[in-house]
Amino acid sequence: MPRPHSPRSSGRKPQRSSDYRSRQSAHEYELEVLGGLEQVAATELEAVPLARDIRGLRFWYPGDPERLNRMRSAVAVYRVRTWDVPRPRGLLGHQQLGELTEFLREVIAVGGHRSFRISAAGKESAVMQRLAEELQTALELPYEPEDGELLLRLRPAPNEQGWEVLARITPRPLSARVWRECNMGGGLNATIAYAANKLAGQRDEDRIFNPMCGSGTLMIERALMGPYAAMVGVDISAEAVACTQTNLRAAGRQIEVAQIDALHTGLPARSFDLVLADLPWGDAIGSHRGNAALYPEFLKEMARLTSKRGRVCVITHEIKLFERVLEGQQDWHAKELFQVYSGGHHPKAYLLGKK
Ligand SMILES: C[S@@+](CC[C@H](N)C(=O)[O-])C[C@H]1O[C@@H](n2cnc3c(N)ncnc32)[C@H](O)[C@@H]1O
């Protein structure tokens, strides 16, 4: 028998009948986040009104799923349902298939997906192929194994109690921001930009500088978070500046961006309170040798450009180099904010404060 509407893994009985009643219309969800950003996502989730029975990245939510699409630290949100079947073949049973179809119809009704795909161990197996065929007919939705919008993940339920199906509630990942009309090689995953901004702290009075802005990910994510006193972005590449401007327009934000060397801006000392910098990582952008010269110069110039209590949030994949450069300078003390695993890279984010 399927056990779709009970918060199985909490192991706790509802305390009050009102809890119990409201849980009847709640659904279970799970966040997908980049490795290393779990805590940031958990904090964001705690602030979602009505989210309950939060266990890591898993939770119950009775509200409008559209609210969950506003999560900025998650790559994606999935609705989850568990079936008490020993193996995926069990999902092909008449009753289970009917329930699965109904479950997916509800997800599609909100998300408007136009195709689907399946991600599972053994997705080429005869059972998975048959499941895809059955769902294609039942949902009247094309099965597109590579690019399907409704991403279904099948996996054993925790504690091996059946199998669960996770259905991504949006046709595209949440990390693919609507403001991103222009993409660039070396562009930062927006959830990393959100996390870095969140942990660097938001102050209404911050005058913010985004040197080496690339496609503008850090500055746009910051601009969408709330008030600040001023913000300026620069990049040495004309293409990057145009890209940021396109994305800013799409985000509906007006922020000054200039094509200029971040190390020679000609700006007066102490112009900024917060620097947000995703430095060249030495692969897609820049080179290791170039970075060996750039990184120390960058720290020195940012010490000049920032106020007495200025802070610098740095993201880089050139960890050894950056940490060596930190050791050899006198202006900054550094705190590691997180290390994240993204697309084969594992950059770190640091928050520097003035000594
Ligand atoms: C890692 S990319 C930034 C990517 C950006 N965070 C994004 O999401 O698109 C580094 C950027 O630094 C720029 N850059 C390198 N050296 C620079 C310098 N001296 N002054 C200004 N920009 C520079 C490059 O043109 C590139 O756009």
mmCIF file of all heavy atoms in Angstrom, residues 180 184 186-188 212-217 234-237 240 260-263 278-281 285 294, ligand 1:
data_model
loop_
_atom_site.group_PDB
_atom_site.id
_atom_site.type_symbol
_atom_site.label_atom_id
_atom_site.label_comp_id
_atom_site.label_asym_id
_atom_site.label_seq_id
_atom_site.Cartn_x
_atom_site.Cartn_y
_atom_site.Cartn_z
ATOM 1 N N ARG A 180 18.804 35.851 -16.094
ATOM 2 C CA ARG A 180 20.008 35.516 -16.855
ATOM 3 C C ARG A 180 19.673 35.370 -18.339
ATOM 4 O O ARG A 180 19.410 34.287 -18.842
ATOM 5 C CB ARG A 180 20.683 34.249 -16.341
ATOM 6 C CG ARG A 180 22.061 34.071 -17.013
ATOM 7 C CD ARG A 180 22.816 32.869 -16.514
ATOM 8 N NE ARG A 180 23.344 32.951 -15.188
ATOM 9 C CZ ARG A 180 24.381 33.718 -14.825
ATOM 10 N NH1 ARG A 180 24.978 34.503 -15.702
ATOM 11 N NH2 ARG A 180 24.800 33.727 -13.589
ATOM 12 N N MET A 184 27.961 33.605 -19.672
ATOM 13 C CA MET A 184 29.369 33.695 -20.078
ATOM 14 C C MET A 184 30.116 32.495 -19.544
ATOM 15 O O MET A 184 29.788 32.002 -18.466
ATOM 16 C CB MET A 184 30.012 34.921 -19.437
ATOM 17 C CG MET A 184 29.770 36.206 -20.152
ATOM 18 S SD MET A 184 30.653 37.530 -19.291
ATOM 19 C CE MET A 184 32.285 36.852 -19.087
ATOM 20 N N GLY A 186 32.573 30.763 -17.384
ATOM 21 C CA GLY A 186 33.065 31.235 -16.079
ATOM 22 C C GLY A 186 31.988 31.912 -15.258
ATOM 23 O O GLY A 186 32.272 32.393 -14.152
ATOM 24 N N GLY A 187 30.749 31.961 -15.767
ATOM 25 C CA GLY A 187 29.645 32.566 -15.006
ATOM 26 C C GLY A 187 29.400 31.756 -13.732
ATOM 27 O O GLY A 187 29.481 30.527 -13.749
ATOM 28 N N LEU A 188 29.089 32.450 -12.663
ATOM 29 C CA LEU A 188 28.922 31.799 -11.362
ATOM 30 C C LEU A 188 27.511 31.225 -11.246
ATOM 31 O O LEU A 188 26.547 31.881 -11.664
ATOM 32 C CB LEU A 188 29.149 32.856 -10.274
ATOM 33 C CG LEU A 188 29.337 32.402 -8.833
ATOM 34 C CD1 LEU A 188 30.604 31.555 -8.693
ATOM 35 C CD2 LEU A 188 29.429 33.624 -7.915
ATOM 36 N N MET A 212 35.483 42.848 -11.510
ATOM 37 C CA MET A 212 35.521 41.571 -12.237
ATOM 38 C C MET A 212 34.131 40.939 -12.269
ATOM 39 O O MET A 212 33.947 39.763 -11.938
ATOM 40 C CB MET A 212 36.540 40.638 -11.598
ATOM 41 C CG MET A 212 37.853 41.359 -11.339
ATOM 42 S SD MET A 212 39.132 40.301 -10.720
ATOM 43 C CE MET A 212 40.358 41.533 -10.252
ATOM 44 N N CYS A 213 33.146 41.753 -12.676
ATOM 45 C CA CYS A 213 31.741 41.357 -12.508
ATOM 46 C C CYS A 213 31.300 40.277 -13.484
ATOM 47 O O CYS A 213 30.260 39.646 -13.261
ATOM 48 C CB CYS A 213 30.822 42.570 -12.590
ATOM 49 S SG CYS A 213 30.850 43.401 -14.179
ATOM 50 N N GLY A 214 32.039 40.045 -14.576
ATOM 51 C CA GLY A 214 31.622 39.009 -15.531
ATOM 52 C C GLY A 214 30.212 39.281 -16.027
ATOM 53 O O GLY A 214 29.916 40.370 -16.508
ATOM 54 N N SER A 215 29.323 38.301 -15.840
ATOM 55 C CA SER A 215 27.933 38.479 -16.290
ATOM 56 C C SER A 215 27.061 39.121 -15.220
ATOM 57 O O SER A 215 25.845 39.257 -15.403
ATOM 58 C CB SER A 215 27.350 37.133 -16.712
ATOM 59 O OG SER A 215 27.405 36.217 -15.629
ATOM 60 N N GLY A 216 27.658 39.492 -14.091
ATOM 61 C CA GLY A 216 26.921 40.286 -13.092
ATOM 62 C C GLY A 216 26.218 39.472 -12.017
ATOM 63 O O GLY A 216 25.405 40.017 -11.260
ATOM 64 N N THR A 217 26.557 38.193 -11.899
ATOM 65 C CA THR A 217 25.794 37.320 -10.999
ATOM 66 C C THR A 217 25.789 37.825 -9.556
ATOM 67 O O THR A 217 24.732 37.921 -8.921
ATOM 68 C CB THR A 217 26.376 35.886 -11.031
ATOM 69 O OG1 THR A 217 26.625 35.528 -12.387
ATOM 70 C CG2 THR A 217 25.423 34.894 -10.417
ATOM 71 N N VAL A 234 32.522 46.599 -12.313
ATOM 72 C CA VAL A 234 33.463 46.824 -13.424
ATOM 73 C C VAL A 234 33.993 45.482 -13.911
ATOM 74 O O VAL A 234 34.031 44.497 -13.173
ATOM 75 C CB VAL A 234 34.674 47.719 -13.023
ATOM 76 C CG1 VAL A 234 34.223 49.056 -12.480
ATOM 77 C CG2 VAL A 234 35.616 47.022 -12.053
ATOM 78 N N ASP A 235 34.378 45.486 -15.176
ATOM 79 C CA ASP A 235 35.085 44.332 -15.736
ATOM 80 C C ASP A 235 35.997 44.860 -16.833
ATOM 81 O O ASP A 235 35.690 45.861 -17.489
ATOM 82 C CB ASP A 235 34.113 43.298 -16.302
ATOM 83 C CG ASP A 235 34.764 41.925 -16.427
ATOM 84 O OD1 ASP A 235 35.614 41.739 -17.340
ATOM 85 O OD2 ASP A 235 34.448 41.031 -15.626
ATOM 86 N N ILE A 236 37.107 44.174 -17.023
ATOM 87 C CA ILE A 236 38.078 44.609 -18.014
ATOM 88 C C ILE A 236 37.614 44.279 -19.433
ATOM 89 O O ILE A 236 38.092 44.846 -20.408
ATOM 90 C CB ILE A 236 39.451 43.960 -17.706
ATOM 91 C CG1 ILE A 236 40.585 44.817 -18.206
ATOM 92 C CG2 ILE A 236 39.538 42.534 -18.200
ATOM 93 C CD1 ILE A 236 41.919 44.538 -17.520
ATOM 94 N N SER A 237 36.645 43.388 -19.524
ATOM 95 C CA SER A 237 36.163 42.931 -20.831
ATOM 96 C C SER A 237 34.868 43.646 -21.216
ATOM 97 O O SER A 237 33.907 43.699 -20.434
ATOM 98 C CB SER A 237 35.953 41.415 -20.765
ATOM 99 O OG SER A 237 34.804 41.036 -21.465
ATOM 100 N N ALA A 240 31.910 41.316 -21.197
ATOM 101 C CA ALA A 240 31.358 41.070 -19.859
ATOM 102 C C ALA A 240 30.471 42.241 -19.429
ATOM 103 O O ALA A 240 29.383 42.037 -18.877
ATOM 104 C CB ALA A 240 32.491 40.858 -18.850
ATOM 105 N N ILE A 260 36.597 48.662 -17.218
ATOM 106 C CA ILE A 260 37.757 49.281 -16.594
ATOM 107 C C ILE A 260 38.537 48.205 -15.826
ATOM 108 O O ILE A 260 37.951 47.221 -15.371
ATOM 109 C CB ILE A 260 37.277 50.431 -15.657
ATOM 110 C CG1 ILE A 260 38.386 51.390 -15.311
ATOM 111 C CG2 ILE A 260 36.638 49.934 -14.426
ATOM 112 C CD1 ILE A 260 37.852 52.703 -14.733
ATOM 113 N N ASP A 261 39.832 48.412 -15.690
ATOM 114 C CA ASP A 261 40.664 47.494 -14.905
ATOM 115 C C ASP A 261 40.342 47.713 -13.429
ATOM 116 O O ASP A 261 40.500 48.835 -12.916
ATOM 117 C CB ASP A 261 42.143 47.808 -15.208
ATOM 118 C CG ASP A 261 43.098 46.847 -14.511
ATOM 119 O OD1 ASP A 261 42.692 46.221 -13.502
ATOM 120 O OD2 ASP A 261 44.251 46.743 -14.961
ATOM 121 N N ALA A 262 39.941 46.655 -12.750
ATOM 122 C CA ALA A 262 39.533 46.784 -11.340
ATOM 123 C C ALA A 262 40.684 47.233 -10.453
ATOM 124 O O ALA A 262 40.458 47.746 -9.354
ATOM 125 C CB ALA A 262 38.999 45.446 -10.833
ATOM 126 N N LEU A 263 41.907 47.057 -10.917
ATOM 127 C CA LEU A 263 43.064 47.432 -10.100
ATOM 128 C C LEU A 263 43.505 48.866 -10.351
ATOM 129 O O LEU A 263 44.367 49.389 -9.656
ATOM 130 C CB LEU A 263 44.228 46.473 -10.369
ATOM 131 C CG LEU A 263 43.893 44.984 -10.201
ATOM 132 C CD1 LEU A 263 45.108 44.118 -10.456
ATOM 133 C CD2 LEU A 263 43.334 44.721 -8.804
ATOM 134 N N ASP A 278 34.299 37.635 -7.539
ATOM 135 C CA ASP A 278 34.520 36.271 -8.024
ATOM 136 C C ASP A 278 35.748 36.371 -8.926
ATOM 137 O O ASP A 278 35.649 36.743 -10.092
ATOM 138 C CB ASP A 278 33.268 35.821 -8.799
ATOM 139 C CG ASP A 278 33.443 34.464 -9.444
ATOM 140 O OD1 ASP A 278 34.323 33.708 -9.006
ATOM 141 O OD2 ASP A 278 32.687 34.178 -10.393
ATOM 142 N N LEU A 279 36.907 36.068 -8.331
ATOM 143 C CA LEU A 279 38.176 36.275 -9.044
ATOM 144 C C LEU A 279 38.331 35.264 -10.174
ATOM 145 O O LEU A 279 37.722 34.194 -10.133
ATOM 146 C CB LEU A 279 39.337 36.117 -8.050
ATOM 147 C CG LEU A 279 39.366 37.108 -6.887
ATOM 148 C CD1 LEU A 279 40.530 36.793 -5.947
ATOM 149 C CD2 LEU A 279 39.484 38.533 -7.390
ATOM 150 N N PRO A 280 39.159 35.572 -11.193
ATOM 151 C CA PRO A 280 39.425 34.568 -12.232
ATOM 152 C C PRO A 280 39.958 33.294 -11.580
ATOM 153 O O PRO A 280 40.798 33.357 -10.675
ATOM 154 C CB PRO A 280 40.500 35.246 -13.092
ATOM 155 C CG PRO A 280 40.323 36.703 -12.853
ATOM 156 C CD PRO A 280 39.850 36.835 -11.437
ATOM 157 N N TRP A 281 39.444 32.140 -12.029
ATOM 158 C CA TRP A 281 39.789 30.869 -11.393
ATOM 159 C C TRP A 281 41.011 30.223 -12.045
ATOM 160 O O TRP A 281 41.438 29.146 -11.637
ATOM 161 C CB TRP A 281 38.608 29.893 -11.463
ATOM 162 C CG TRP A 281 37.445 30.311 -10.622
ATOM 163 C CD1 TRP A 281 37.342 31.468 -9.902
ATOM 164 C CD2 TRP A 281 36.229 29.595 -10.412
ATOM 165 N NE1 TRP A 281 36.122 31.515 -9.255
ATOM 166 C CE2 TRP A 281 35.422 30.383 -9.558
ATOM 167 C CE3 TRP A 281 35.730 28.384 -10.864
ATOM 168 C CZ2 TRP A 281 34.153 29.983 -9.141
ATOM 169 C CZ3 TRP A 281 34.469 27.982 -10.460
ATOM 170 C CH2 TRP A 281 33.675 28.767 -9.598
ATOM 171 N N ILE A 285 38.681 31.341 -17.157
ATOM 172 C CA ILE A 285 39.036 32.760 -17.177
ATOM 173 C C ILE A 285 40.396 32.916 -16.497
ATOM 174 O O ILE A 285 40.601 32.416 -15.400
ATOM 175 C CB ILE A 285 38.015 33.618 -16.374
ATOM 176 C CG1 ILE A 285 36.578 33.346 -16.816
ATOM 177 C CG2 ILE A 285 38.362 35.088 -16.424
ATOM 178 C CD1 ILE A 285 36.106 34.083 -18.014
ATOM 179 N N LEU A 294 47.899 38.822 -10.087
ATOM 180 C CA LEU A 294 46.638 39.558 -9.865
ATOM 181 C C LEU A 294 46.172 39.522 -8.406
ATOM 182 O O LEU A 294 45.756 40.549 -7.842
ATOM 183 C CB LEU A 294 45.552 38.944 -10.766
ATOM 184 C CG LEU A 294 44.161 39.532 -10.642
ATOM 185 C CD1 LEU A 294 44.052 40.817 -11.467
ATOM 186 C CD2 LEU A 294 43.083 38.553 -11.093
HETATM 187 C C1 LIG B 1 35.398 34.382 -12.770
HETATM 188 S S1 LIG B 1 34.974 35.642 -13.897
HETATM 189 C C2 LIG B 1 33.612 36.393 -13.085
HETATM 190 C C3 LIG B 1 32.347 35.671 -13.406
HETATM 191 C C4 LIG B 1 31.148 36.317 -12.807
HETATM 192 N N1 LIG B 1 31.073 36.119 -11.369
HETATM 193 C C5 LIG B 1 29.900 35.782 -13.447
HETATM 194 O O1 LIG B 1 29.068 35.191 -12.749
HETATM 195 O O2 LIG B 1 29.753 35.902 -14.656
HETATM 196 C C6 LIG B 1 36.238 36.811 -13.692
HETATM 197 C C7 LIG B 1 36.094 38.086 -14.491
HETATM 198 O O3 LIG B 1 37.196 38.911 -14.154
HETATM 199 C C8 LIG B 1 37.456 39.756 -15.255
HETATM 200 N N2 LIG B 1 38.784 40.346 -15.017
HETATM 201 C C9 LIG B 1 39.988 39.733 -15.020
HETATM 202 N N3 LIG B 1 40.951 40.603 -14.704
HETATM 203 C C10 LIG B 1 40.352 41.803 -14.477
HETATM 204 C C11 LIG B 1 40.812 43.080 -14.093
HETATM 205 N N4 LIG B 1 42.095 43.336 -13.873
HETATM 206 N N5 LIG B 1 39.893 44.049 -13.945
HETATM 207 C C12 LIG B 1 38.593 43.830 -14.170
HETATM 208 N N6 LIG B 1 38.106 42.644 -14.542
HETATM 209 C C13 LIG B 1 38.972 41.637 -14.691
HETATM 210 C C14 LIG B 1 37.301 38.828 -16.441
HETATM 211 O O4 LIG B 1 37.067 39.568 -17.628
HETATM 212 C C15 LIG B 1 36.098 37.980 -15.997
HETATM 213 O O5 LIG B 1 34.903 38.505 -16.499
#
